[in-house]
């Protein structure tokens, strides 16, 4: 199961929100996002709800501040899991 955790402050501080499925609108859960832990899977995060705006691809790892995923600002309002395509069919 893919899992990503968003934190309002840098260095994994402040209020957090853990996600294991696509989230089209996270504005009720976070005011801002300044650090992220991707525990498993690959994710696309978006700066606006409903998968709109700048998008950033994140793989497993720790992102202690928004500069590490090349973010323009501290806004993350939606995200989705990126699944590998099965080419053996």
């Amino acid at each position: 199961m893919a899992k990503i955790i968003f934190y309002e402050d840098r260095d994994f501080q402040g209020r957090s929100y853990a996600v294991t499925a696509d989230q089209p609108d996270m504005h009720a859960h976070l005011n801002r996002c300044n650090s992220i832990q991707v525990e498993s899977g690959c994710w696309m995060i978006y700066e606006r709800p409903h998968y709109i705006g700048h998008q950033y691809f994140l793989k497993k790892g720790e992102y202690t501040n928004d500069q590490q995923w090349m973010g323009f600002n501290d806004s993350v309002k939606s995200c989705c899991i990126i699944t590998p395509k099965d080419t053996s069919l």
Side-chain angles (χ1 to χ4, degrees):
M1 173 190 330
K3 183 176 182 181
I4 187 170
I5 306 170
F6 300 95
Y7 296 86
E8 286 195 340
D9 299 326
R10 291 177 179 228
D11 300 313
F12 316 114
Q13 301 295 310
R15 191 166 63 162
S16 65
Y17 180 57
V19 173
T20 57
D22 294 358
Q23 296 291 311
D25 191 351
M26 300 190 311
H27 86 274
H29 303 286
L30 292 171
N31 293 321
R32 62 187 179 280
C33 180
N34 282 297
S35 54
I36 298 173
Q37 285 180 310
V38 178
E39 291 190 358
S40 56
C42 295
W43 294 82
M44 191 69 73
I45 63 172
Y46 300 83
E47 70 174 6
R48 295 179 53 204
H50 304 287
Y51 318 112
I52 298 173
H54 289 101
Q55 60 185 19
Y56 310 97
F57 175 80
L58 301 180
K59 60 184 182 177
K60 184 176 179 179
E62 295 188 339
Y63 303 84
T64 58
N65 62 65
D66 59 349
Q67 319 264 283
Q68 290 187 312
W69 67 82
M70 305 302 283
F72 287 112
N73 56 49
D74 63 0
S75 178
V76 175
K77 300 299 183 195
S78 56
C79 66
C80 62
I81 300 167
I82 303 299
T83 56
K85 189 173 187 177
D86 186 355
T87 58
S88 64
L89 298 175

